[in-house]
Amino acid sequence: MKIDALHCLTEQAVADLLTLKMAGARDRAFCGKCTYGDIHAMAHAILDRCAETHHQRGYLAIFTMDRAVIAAAIVAALAGGPILILPHDISDGALMDLASDPEHTWVVTDPDRMLPDRFKELFVTPDGHSPTPIPLNAGIDPGAPLLKLYTGGSTGTPTIWTKTVENIMGEALFHVGEHQISRDDVVVATVPPYHIYGLLFSVVAPLLAGARVVDQTCGFPHEIVNTVTDTAATILVSVPAHFRALKDHDFSGHGLRLAFSSAGVLDEADERNFRQLNNVFVMEVYGSTETGGIAFRCRGRGETFFSPFDVIETCIAEESLKIRSPFISSEISRNDAGFYLVPDRVKKCSGNRFAILGRSDAVVKIAGLRVDLDRVGSVLKAMDGIRDALVLAKAVPRGRAFDIRALVEGNCTPGDIRLFLSGRLEAAAHPRWIKVVDQIPMTRSGKYDRAAVAALFEAEAG
């Protein structure tokens, strides 16, 4: 698909969404008890409450997991309502981070949530609104800001990225067409809707496709299995950590036709186990909040390497990947030709496909030698008794420049691990610190919680 074609299709899809042109859309369920008509009614309520000030759009912070409310906020924003703010978490700490920013005026939250005085609370329900919603018109152009996402909760330093209408709605529409998501689909997600991946696949894409979304965000294996089977779900949206947790669980009598994985590289054994146990292909999506999606692969279809989306241009040279994409946030610096250097090392394969080698910042120099932390992690994961491993480098004021730290999830000892690594890694690559835990800390979006991991090592050093 050409970028110009995607641009036109996105404008049309937004117009159809705002005017409820999809057949029977008004009474069709979207999430929980909320219909598409309810979504429009709540969008009108948001527009009424959050009027422009001095001809400028305001800001509406999202502190709820309710996908119907988030969908309504998106519809309102498309109609000229406030720009949405999605935090990296909906904790009280994240709320206080927003409280110091004067731009964030309104907050939509759950009824029992206590907010700082400076915020204007906004509770949104379809109750009391017209059963025949008035069609809306697009109020902002495709290049205008639709929402802002705070990321970096896993590192302890949140970063904000702006996403335009075309960034979000365009990427969601691309996936709707690519994966044939339709009104017959039912989506279950294990990733929260304020995360870019959860937002795209469990709110925006279903909204554009007329599909239904399960309102529960599952996290535990039995919870995921029961929800998928009880709701007759057809699409599972999950992350590598949850596919690993599902290793010994099957979805007996399920109706799944496809599963998605993102927020990290899915382990080959975990993918194979899930696919063979449930006869369901897993589509792995590669990208980030700031870049949007970049590429995907489906090992069940024999795809070893990642293929870029056909609306994205790529340039690969010397393990570097540059992309030109309609999904990139405006804050990202690009060269004169509009290309952005992705912070991952890749290997060019046949055609325009590529293999991911690891992050460029995962290569450090120790005692004058280049050490690939991702490779150290891969070697650790090959040891019996180790379920997962995270390898980090800590800068130290000594000649080595860095100490390697390995947090291992399993039932072995640091001594066992050191013996296993002997002869498998050069001496400079051996972790100086090894800590074994029952479970590596994860964020709610399924990523390693690097801030929590660092705290574990600091506590032990103390």
Side-chain angles (χ1 to χ4, degrees):
M1 184 189 300
K2 299 294 185 182
I3 292 179
D4 289 344
L6 179 64
H7 177 83
C8 293
L9 289 172
T10 301
E11 285 190 316
Q12 185 60 54
V14 169
D16 290 346
L17 175 65
L18 293 178
T19 55
L20 279 177
K21 282 190 175 180
M22 295 175 289
R26 191 188 73 181
D27 299 322
R28 190 160 64 248
F30 171 70
C31 183
K33 296 181 179 179
C34 280
T35 65
Y36 279 79
D38 293 332
I39 299 298
H40 270 245
M42 291 191 290
H44 275 284
I46 292 172
L47 288 169
D48 291 341
R49 288 283 304 277
C50 305
E52 291 184 354
T53 303
H54 305 301
H55 304 290
Q56 289 189 343
R57 299 166 66 197
Y59 289 87
L60 175 63
I62 304 294
F63 272 84
T64 178
M65 295 275 281
D66 190 325
R67 288 177 170 83
V69 171
I70 296 173
I74 289 172
V75 171
L78 292 169
I83 298 169
L84 309 183
I85 306 294
L86 278 76
H88 62 85
D89 195 1
I90 58 172
S91 65
D92 289 342
L95 186 60
M96 294 309 297
D97 288 340
L98 286 181
S100 62
D101 193 329
E103 287 186 330
H104 309 139
T105 305
W106 292 283
V107 173
V108 60
T109 185
D110 300 316
D112 57 348
R113 189 70 178 263
M114 296 295 293
L115 298 179
D117 292 339
R118 68 162 306 278
F119 286 127
K120 297 178 182 178
E121 293 179 293
L122 184 61
F123 303 133
V124 183
T125 70
D127 299 336
H129 300 301
S130 170
T132 308
I134 302 170
L136 296 163
N137 294 315
I140 54 176
D141 63 67
L146 178 68
L147 55 87
K148 294 175 180 287
L149 294 108
Y150 279 86
T151 64
S154 62
T155 64
T157 309
T159 304
I160 194 166
W161 301 103
T162 301
K163 307 300 277 189
T164 65
V165 174
E166 189 163 50
N167 289 160
I168 294 295
M169 308 308 289
E171 182 174 353
L173 186 64
F174 169 81
H175 287 293
V176 168
E178 186 70 26
H179 308 296
Q180 300 181 338
I181 302 172
S182 74
R183 59 182 296 173
D184 296 325
D185 281 310
V186 178
V187 180
V188 166
T190 72
V191 61
Y194 50 78
H195 180 271
I196 180 66
Y197 168 53
L199 180 72
L200 284 170
F201 284 89
S202 72
V203 179
V204 187
L207 190 63
L208 290 174
R212 185 163 64 87
V213 182
V214 176
D215 54 0
Q216 182 180 5
T217 300
C218 313
F220 297 103
H222 289 291
E223 184 182 29
I224 298 171
V225 171
N226 291 338
T227 303
V228 165
T229 54
D230 292 347
T231 60
T234 60
I235 295 176
L236 173 64
V237 178
S238 196
V239 292
H242 292 155
F243 280 106
R244 172 158 293 185
L246 289 167
K247 183 176 181 179
D248 299 319
H249 299 76
D250 68 326
F251 297 81
S252 179
H254 69 82
L256 289 175
R257 68 173 183 88
L258 184 62
F260 288 97
S261 177
S262 191
V265 177
L266 179 60
D267 184 82
E268 183 176 359
D270 294 337
E271 183 279 335
R272 183 175 58 251
N273 179 79
F274 180 87
R275 169 166 43 91
Q276 293 178 348
L277 196 61
N278 300 292
N279 194 29
V280 177
F281 286 175
V282 181
M283 183 64 65
E284 298 174 63
V285 182
Y286 168 66
S288 66
T289 299
E290 57 270 31
T291 64
I294 297 173
F296 44 43
R297 72 174 170 189
C298 181
R299 288 187 174 111
R301 299 194 306 219
E303 299 169 4
T304 304
F305 308 115
F306 283 89
S307 297
F309 301 167
D310 58 13
V311 294
I312 292 177
E313 296 178 64
T314 60
C315 178
I316 301 174
E318 297 181 352
E319 296 190 352
S320 295
L321 171 64
K322 295 178 182 178
I323 63 168
R324 185 159 57 189
S325 165
F327 310 141
I328 291 180
S329 294
S330 59
E331 291 89 353
I332 286 186
S333 297
R334 283 157 273 197
N335 64 19
D336 293 340
F339 281 89
Y340 165 66
L341 177 62
V342 178
D344 282 316
R345 294 174 294 118
V346 303
K347 176 184 177 183
K348 184 175 177 60
C349 304
S350 58
N352 63 345
R353 294 185 291 273
F354 59 87
I356 301 172
L357 302 179
R359 289 187 62 85
S360 54
D361 60 5
V363 177
V364 297
K365 273 198 171 182
I366 297 179
L369 298 175
R370 282 167 53 93
V371 175
D372 186 338
L373 303 180
D374 290 328
R375 177 172 174 265
V376 177
S378 297
V379 173
L380 284 169
K381 293 175 188 178
M383 176 179 170
D384 289 340
I386 291 182
R387 297 185 297 275
D388 200 4
L390 176 61
V391 181
L392 305 172
K394 169 73 173 178
V396 292
R398 297 197 301 271
R400 288 170 58 92
F402 289 96
D403 273 350
I404 299 179
R405 300 177 171 188
L407 187 66
V408 173
E409 180 179 305
N411 53 4
C412 48
T413 68
D416 296 333
I417 295 170
R418 296 188 192 282
L419 185 62
F420 175 80
L421 294 179
S422 179
R424 289 181 169 84
L425 291 173
E426 56 272 23
H430 282 229
R432 184 176 180 86
W433 300 87
I434 298 174
K435 185 172 180 62
V436 181
V437 294
D438 292 331
Q439 186 171 5
I440 296 177
M442 294 280 187
T443 66
R444 293 193 66 173
S445 59
K447 295 183 178 181
Y448 294 121
D449 191 335
R450 294 175 182 268
V453 171
L456 285 175
F457 281 107
E458 295 301 328
E460 184 157 302

